[in-house]
Amino acid sequence: MTRHLHAVLLAGLMAAAVSHRGRAASPAYFPDDPLTADPELRDAAKVGEREISDPYDFLENTFFKPGDHANQRAVNVNTIDEVPDSSWFTNRIGVTPVSVADIGRGPNLSGPPAPGPWTVVSGKSDGITPGFTVRDQAGVLWFIKFDPGSNPEMATGAEMIATKLFWGLGYHVPENYLAVVGADDLVVTDQATIRDVLGHRRALTRTDVTDLLAKGARRTDGRYRVMASRALPGTPVGPFKYYGTRADDPNDIFPHEHRRELRGLRAFSAWLNHDDSRSVNSLDTLVATAGRTVVRHHLIDFGSTLGSASVAAQKPRAGNEYLWEARPTLLTMLSFGFWVRPWIKVHYPNYPSIGNLEAAYFWPERWKPEYPNVAFDNARGDDLFWAARRVMAFSDEQIQAAVKSAEYSNEGAAAYMTDVIIARRDKVGLQWLTAVNPLVRFALDAEGVLTFGNVATETRRASAPDGYSVAWSTFDNTTGLATGVGTTASVDTERAQAPAAVLEGEFVEAAIHTQHPRFPEWRRPVVAHFRRAAGGWRLVGIRRDGLD
Amino acid sequence: MPRFLAALVACCLLEPVAAFAQTGPQPAAPATRADALDAQRAARELALGVERRNWLERTLFFVEDKRVIERLNPPEGFYPNLGSIRIGSGFGYGVGYRKRPARGRVLVDASGKLTHRGYKTAQTHIAVQPMAGRPVEFSTGTVWYDFTQEDFFGLGRATSRADRVSYRLEGLDTFAQLQARKAGWLVVRGRVGFHRMAIDSGTDARFPSVAETFTEATAPGLRNALTLAYAQTSAGVDTRDQVGNTRGGGFYNVSMGMFRDRRGDTFNFNRIDVRAMHVIPIFDKKRGIALNAMASRSDPVGDSRVPFYLMPTVGGSDSIRGFREFRFRDAAAVNLNAEYRWEAFSGLDLALFVDAADVGPTWRSLVGKNLKTSWGGGFRFNTNRRVFLRVDIASSREDTRVWVRMGPVFRR
């Protein structure tokens, strides 16, 4: 009984967010469940711009543990444990058809900068990477970034690949294009400005352009390979935080640390070594849609992904240890340095255009960003399972297409990058597809035949299980109570027949356990709820038990 | 749904159930998931706030936004001139002004500083770089200083801590210097100038003044103000990966100088300094062994003498760290350091070290002697490019010293 009551409470987490303040009882499942899109109907036009202090973000997340650290289910998932489309996320790979060409194109729908000289609007001489803001001949605003002189093609290549893959995963990202520019292609007008070291804005000169170009990797023809990032649509209002909600956004009702797409970002960041997955590399913009204004949340600046740290090759620490971490620090101090961090010994092939990236030592579970991230810390088995399914949904060909967009001049480097991303993908799948009972694609046909899939075995991350056991119940949508019917059925395949008695009501519950000698955690059931629909049954609920 | 209606529904939904029991019937539950979510958003819309920063974030944001750190060392204009003047001077405060005309190729700088121990300095200099499009820097300038509480323990290795006296050294150095760097690692430097110096009683009341304990025979130059014309040249090989936080490579330098007394032949002497410093990296430079060796000698010309305050010294934070700064002084000195460093995390290195050093009338006199030794450990707070704070704790048979310095070791 307790289990079934619990089932009701968890089955509609979005509803729970409402009901916790107390109101008239709600059904476990509404007629529109499962939602495929989060209806963010409130007008957010009054959201103001905010900036985040980079040092504060480090200090706060490293030493003060902000946000709600809780082992609770993600609060923005729908009743079938998926993330609805929203201002944060659009379901793509693994949910909608995504072709190899789609990944090769990624978010780039508008086309590259218009041919012809670029008019420099401003220069960026400080910060991690120097660059320009320019307008092309069509008047479109672009942010221009360079590769470091020590690593031609590295930062731009990493950014191209990561942009395509994060887009495929479902995030809102900028349109990023590779371009080649010479000093003569940059037109400096009287309106161009640059901030000096002290932050004073002054007129930008041709000398400034020359100085900024000198910091970038120069090609043998004297020109520069650059990353042209199209200005995001809408009005920028600053980055988002990985915890809490934005106080002035009426649509932002789910604490960010409990959003699945932010928790799952841990798996995606591990895959692509996005160690810089921090607030400062996000951007919210106000965009008009359907007669209202909403805040759209983007991931930006992928220069520090894969083997790149934007201005140099990635440090071996990146992805392996936080900037400050007590245990290894104390161990090193107290052992007089004779305790050696294991990642120090990792070998990286010498590809300047790749930087430092490998797949042999990489293990997803121990991957870390630059400093703690509460959303990543809160990621549970179901969040990471959700993410790993998307990672594993990328085919080798799609990954090749993403790497091809980086236009590496060294074919060996391109092949290495492809191989490493594929190998890291497989490790993500091995780690997180097997950590929970990996059953998916539940269906109950009109004759009461239940079918489902085992994504761990389908992706060859695990051998076939010994079998499955299915416990059938009827389900009362009003009270949330399930009543067992018959005995638990054991089956060898992903197929089971429901007893006739369970098919008489409006709702059916099937709790499926998986027996596998290597994965005892698969015995925790996945509970599926079906609702009678025209011509059969419709899946309305999925819950993975035993994670709380 | 009109906004007011949504807000009304939301308010009703969010009222405690107990309140409904007292005031009226329960409201209708939302009919759909979308309605339920919108009701929650409608309620939130009524209680929107503004994004606020706490005091720490405000402070850090101010520091970032106003470029407070950059303003401490701006490329041009007035700047605060903070820090010690020399070892033992205490912390100082002052102001400077610099300008970079000729599109930044020329640096004109003037500054002054006063420390809490009364040390004073003022300087102006002009530097031009590059010269003729090459990595050659020419600089010329004048430095005036007044070191009010310098320590002297007598000449030779057999001095006692109890012999400590205080003296004041005031001087004016006017110089011109040319420095060239070839192939990135060969550094050649030449410098000429006039250096006027005068000795007086020290202001440290805890110790007698130098003239009360020492004589011209035991402390040459004690009673003379002098003006030296000098010429120095040096050649060095610099393979350090980072000058401010060396984790690999080394610096090897030989410097020779001629100093001639402009008021007679009393203080004509030559000086030679040899230095070799090398860091052997271990494990991706996360650990390393730093070796440092220095040997200095000042040789009088004919019957001349070397002023005691221009003789080589050992002792202090860059030398033998278990002894006071300038603890031993004589015509010749050797200094050997070995330091094992390991990175605790990216912002902190730890170190264990041993130092050995000695002084004598000649280098030959030091051969076969038991060098004075000290040992200890330290912390180096750093960025990738530089050590910004160093704390060393060192012990010797004579003393235990704690050194806090704003910079790396072995800079001297």
Side-chain angles (χ1 to χ4, degrees):
Chain A
M1 180 67 78
T2 302
R3 179 173 71 85
H4 294 307
L5 192 59
H6 197 197
V8 175
L9 294 173
L10 287 177
L13 277 162
M14 288 182 168
V18 175
S19 64
H20 79 284
R21 295 287 300 273
R23 58 164 171 69
S26 296
Y29 296 104
F30 287 102
D32 56 345
D33 280 327
L35 280 184
T36 55
D38 185 358
E40 297 164 311
L41 300 174
R42 299 287 139 186
D43 187 78
K46 292 181 180 174
V47 166
E49 186 174 8
R50 72 163 178 201
E51 291 181 70
I52 289 178
S53 161
D54 200 358
Y56 179 78
D57 198 51
F58 162 74
L59 291 173
E60 181 184 42
N61 286 287
T62 299
F63 299 109
F64 303 132
K65 302 288 181 197
D68 179 30
H69 290 254
N71 177 23
Q72 69 174 72
R73 193 179 185 191
V75 294
N76 71 316
V77 290
N78 60 20
T79 53
I80 58 169
D81 211 33
E82 292 292 335
V83 176
D85 290 347
S86 70
S87 59
W88 294 80
F89 190 82
T90 301
N91 282 283
R92 295 191 181 101
I93 194 91
V95 177
T96 61
V98 177
S99 68
V100 171
D102 289 338
I103 295 298
R105 188 200 67 235
N108 295 356
L109 297 174
S110 309
W118 294 344
T119 302
V120 178
V121 175
S122 63
K124 180 172 174 277
S125 59
D126 57 350
I128 296 296
T129 49
F132 297 103
T133 303
V134 303
R135 278 193 195 283
D136 66 11
Q137 290 291 301
V140 176
L141 201 63
W142 298 87
F143 302 103
I144 307 299
K145 293 189 282 188
F146 301 86
D147 288 305
S150 58
N151 295 77
E153 303 180 359
M154 181 188 69
T156 54
E159 184 135 17
M160 286 300 291
I161 297 168
T163 299
K164 303 297 170 62
L165 296 180
F166 275 109
W167 175 86
L169 288 165
Y171 294 94
H172 300 307
V173 298
E175 293 187 33
N176 289 331
Y177 298 86
L178 286 178
V180 176
V181 65
D184 296 340
D185 299 325
L186 297 170
V187 177
V188 179
T189 66
D190 294 342
Q191 285 76 44
T193 60
I194 188 170
R195 285 191 189 277
D196 63 20
V197 175
L198 301 182
H200 303 135
R201 193 165 279 288
R202 62 170 174 78
L204 182 138
T205 65
R206 174 53 65 178
T207 304
D208 294 319
V209 172
T210 305
D211 291 346
L212 285 169
L213 288 174
K215 296 177 180 176
R218 194 172 166 187
R219 302 186 343 157
T220 52
D221 64 0
R223 307 177 81 201
Y224 300 84
R225 171 177 144 134
V226 299
M227 162 67 55
S229 186
R230 189 186 181 98
L232 290 168
T235 306
V237 288
F240 63 77
K241 291 191 173 185
Y242 280 84
Y243 68 89
T245 56
R246 191 164 185 140
D248 51 1
D249 181 3
N251 291 312
D252 196 12
I253 55 174
F254 300 117
H256 301 172
E257 65 270 38
H258 296 312
R259 296 195 71 100
R260 166 143 309 159
E261 65 271 30
L262 294 186
R263 291 178 170 192
L265 184 59
R266 171 180 160 191
F268 305 142
S269 297
W271 177 32
L272 301 175
N273 202 28
H274 186 17
D275 68 311
D276 226 8
S277 43
R278 308 178 288 145
S279 288
V280 293
N281 290 321
S282 68
L283 186 63
D284 290 347
T285 60
L286 290 178
V287 294
T289 176
R292 64 185 185 281
T293 300
V294 298
V295 178
R296 183 176 292 160
H297 312 273
H298 304 82
L299 302 182
I300 61 168
D301 199 351
F302 299 113
S304 185
T305 55
L306 300 166
S308 167
S310 292
V311 293
Q314 190 61 277
K315 291 181 178 177
R317 178 195 54 75
N320 291 305
E321 189 178 311
Y322 296 134
L323 277 169
W324 188 86
E325 206 171 318
R327 185 178 176 276
T329 298
L330 288 172
L331 277 173
T332 314
M333 288 174 75
L334 298 175
S335 69
F336 297 96
F338 286 97
W339 179 78
V340 179
R341 290 165 164 94
W343 47 262
I344 288 179
K345 301 174 187 172
V346 173
H347 170 73
Y348 297 94
N350 184 24
Y351 288 117
S353 57
I354 302 296
N356 289 332
L357 182 71
E358 60 83 54
Y361 178 77
F362 166 70
W363 189 245
E365 183 67 25
R366 65 178 176 227
W367 181 90
K368 290 174 179 171
E370 286 291 81
Y371 45 81
N373 177 320
V374 58
F376 291 10
D377 292 346
N378 282 344
R380 313 191 316 167
D382 48 359
D383 301 313
L384 297 167
F385 177 78
W386 169 87
R389 283 186 70 194
R390 273 149 185 77
V391 172
M392 290 302 295
F394 280 93
S395 67
D396 292 359
E397 291 73 24
Q398 287 172 320
I399 290 172
Q400 280 174 345
V403 174
K404 188 178 177 185
S405 73
E407 298 180 21
Y408 291 118
S409 56
N410 182 334
E411 289 182 9
Y416 176 78
M417 177 66 91
T418 304
D419 291 346
V420 167
I421 295 175
I422 289 171
R424 290 173 74 106
R425 174 200 66 187
D426 292 346
K427 282 192 167 182
V428 168
L430 184 61
Q431 171 72 55
W432 285 316
L433 286 185
T434 61
V436 298
N437 192 349
L439 305 185
V440 295
R441 297 196 312 277
F442 300 92
L444 186 65
D445 68 14
E447 283 69 46
V449 175
L450 171 71
T451 57
F452 52 90
N454 183 325
V455 71
T457 58
E458 290 168 0
T459 56
R460 296 192 296 279
R461 301 301 99 193
S463 59
D466 293 345
Y468 305 95
S469 58
V470 184
W472 295 97
S473 302
T474 57
F475 181 76
D476 186 328
N477 191 43
T478 305
T479 64
L481 299 178
T483 306
V485 175
T487 57
T488 299
S490 293
V491 292
D492 296 332
T493 63
E494 292 81 20
R495 186 183 178 90
Q497 174 64 54
V502 84
L503 300 173
E504 291 171 359
E506 190 191 357
F507 285 87
V508 169
E509 177 181 295
I512 309 156
H513 306 252
T514 305
Q515 286 87 40
H516 195 292
R518 197 177 151 203
F519 301 106
E521 54 271 30
W522 291 12
R523 294 181 186 278
R524 296 170 182 163
V526 181
V527 179
H529 286 144
F530 298 93
R531 182 176 210 155
R532 186 179 295 283
W537 297 87
R538 185 162 63 94
L539 177 71
V540 292
I542 293 178
R543 191 185 71 240
R544 295 179 195 281
D545 275 358
L547 298 174
D548 292 332
Chain B
M1 183 187 294
R3 184 180 297 183
F4 77 90
L5 188 55
L8 185 62
V9 169
C11 286
C12 295
L13 285 171
L14 293 167
E15 279 298 313
V17 173
F20 284 115
Q22 293 170 1
T23 58
Q26 277 194 355
T32 65
R33 182 75 63 195
D35 287 347
L37 288 170
D38 195 50
Q40 192 177 358
R41 288 182 167 120
R44 179 179 169 83
E45 195 170 41
L46 296 175
L48 289 179
V50 293
E51 289 290 317
R52 297 190 189 282
R53 301 183 178 120
N54 64 27
W55 68 269
L56 179 58
E57 186 172 13
R58 281 199 304 274
T59 303
L60 290 171
F61 197 84
F62 178 84
V63 169
E64 255 186 303
D65 192 45
K66 301 301 179 188
R67 318 255 176 149
V68 171
I69 293 172
E70 287 83 355
R71 284 173 197 278
L72 293 177
N73 188 22
E76 285 195 295
F78 286 99
Y79 61 90
N81 188 17
L82 307 175
S84 66
I85 291 177
R86 93 191 218 116
I87 295 171
S89 68
F91 196 81
Y93 309 86
V95 67
Y97 181 84
R98 60 171 73 105
K99 192 77 182 168
R100 297 178 187 273
R103 298 168 75 180
R105 286 183 55 234
V106 175
L107 169 66
V108 181
D109 185 283
S111 65
K113 189 187 292 183
L114 170 67
T115 76
H116 73 266
R117 297 185 68 182
Y119 281 56
K120 296 177 278 294
T121 185
Q123 64 87 31
T124 63
H125 83 269
I126 299 171
V128 183
Q129 185 188 34
M131 298 278 290
R134 296 180 179 280
V136 176
E137 179 184 288
F138 170 77
S139 59
T140 182
T142 298
V143 181
W144 171 81
Y145 58 86
D146 182 8
F147 302 155
T148 54
Q149 300 179 15
E150 294 290 278
D151 293 336
F152 183 51
F153 299 83
L155 297 179
R157 69 191 311 271
T159 59
S160 163
R161 257 197 311 182
D163 296 335
R164 181 177 174 184
V165 298
S166 172
Y167 70 94
R168 182 175 194 160
L169 179 64
E170 191 241 336
L172 182 70
D173 182 14
T174 304
F175 66 91
Q177 178 174 295
L178 200 62
Q179 177 172 302
R181 185 175 275 269
K182 178 74 174 173
W185 51 268
L186 179 62
V187 184
V188 180
R189 194 173 73 162
R191 178 177 171 129
V192 294
F194 290 96
H195 199 161
R196 179 180 64 76
M197 283 169 281
I199 287 283
D200 204 344
S201 297
T203 61
D204 191 341
R206 297 172 298 165
F207 304 101
S209 182
V210 63
E212 297 174 29
T213 305
F214 294 93
T215 65
E216 184 66 26
T218 55
L222 179 62
R223 307 209 178 279
N224 303 74
L226 74 157
T227 301
L228 296 172
Y230 66 90
Q232 288 175 295
T233 182
S234 68
V237 172
D238 188 354
T239 63
R240 290 172 293 185
D241 54 356
Q242 308 271 6
V243 173
N245 187 13
T246 304
R247 292 178 178 275
F251 180 61
Y252 320 91
N253 191 70
V254 177
S255 172
M256 290 179 288
M258 293 191 305
F259 297 79
R260 296 294 179 262
D261 188 347
R262 301 297 294 167
R263 297 181 182 177
D265 293 330
T266 311
F267 295 105
N268 293 334
F269 63 96
N270 299 323
R271 171 140 176 166
I272 182 167
D273 296 276
V274 181
R275 183 190 174 193
M277 190 279 283
H278 193 91
V279 178
I280 304 164
I282 306 170
F283 284 135
D284 193 29
K285 301 183 178 179
K286 302 294 184 190
R287 287 151 189 75
I289 295 173
L291 303 171
N292 182 59
M294 287 193 297
S296 300
R297 196 177 77 191
S298 50
D299 299 317
V301 176
D303 295 332
S304 289
R305 287 173 292 164
V306 181
F308 77 93
Y309 45 84
L310 291 180
M311 288 183 183
T313 69
V314 298
S317 67
D318 286 292
S319 172
I320 180 167
R321 283 164 274 190
F323 293 86
R324 277 194 166 278
E325 59 268 23
F326 314 124
R327 175 63 184 82
F328 300 101
R329 188 188 298 257
D330 210 332
V334 293
N335 184 85
L336 304 168
N337 310 90
E339 193 168 286
Y340 166 61
R341 299 171 185 162
W342 71 98
E343 182 184 283
F345 72 100
S346 57
L348 173 66
D349 281 9
L350 285 84
L352 292 174
F353 55 80
V354 291
D355 307 318
D358 212 340
V359 298
T362 64
W363 279 341
R364 187 179 294 275
S365 70
L366 301 175
V367 176
K369 293 277 176 57
N370 289 326
L371 301 179
K372 298 185 182 300
T373 58
S374 70
W375 60 275
F379 303 86
R380 285 94 173 89
F381 297 91
N382 56 55
T383 64
N384 187 41
R385 289 181 172 272
R386 71 186 186 97
V387 174
F388 56 85
L389 177 65
R390 171 168 65 95
V391 179
D392 281 341
I393 304 164
S395 184
S396 69
R397 286 188 174 185
E398 180 176 289
D399 206 352
T400 295
R401 309 291 306 169
V402 177
W403 304 99
V404 180
R405 289 290 177 267
M406 305 290 182
V409 71
F410 310 144
R411 278 191 304 177
R412 216 166 57 150

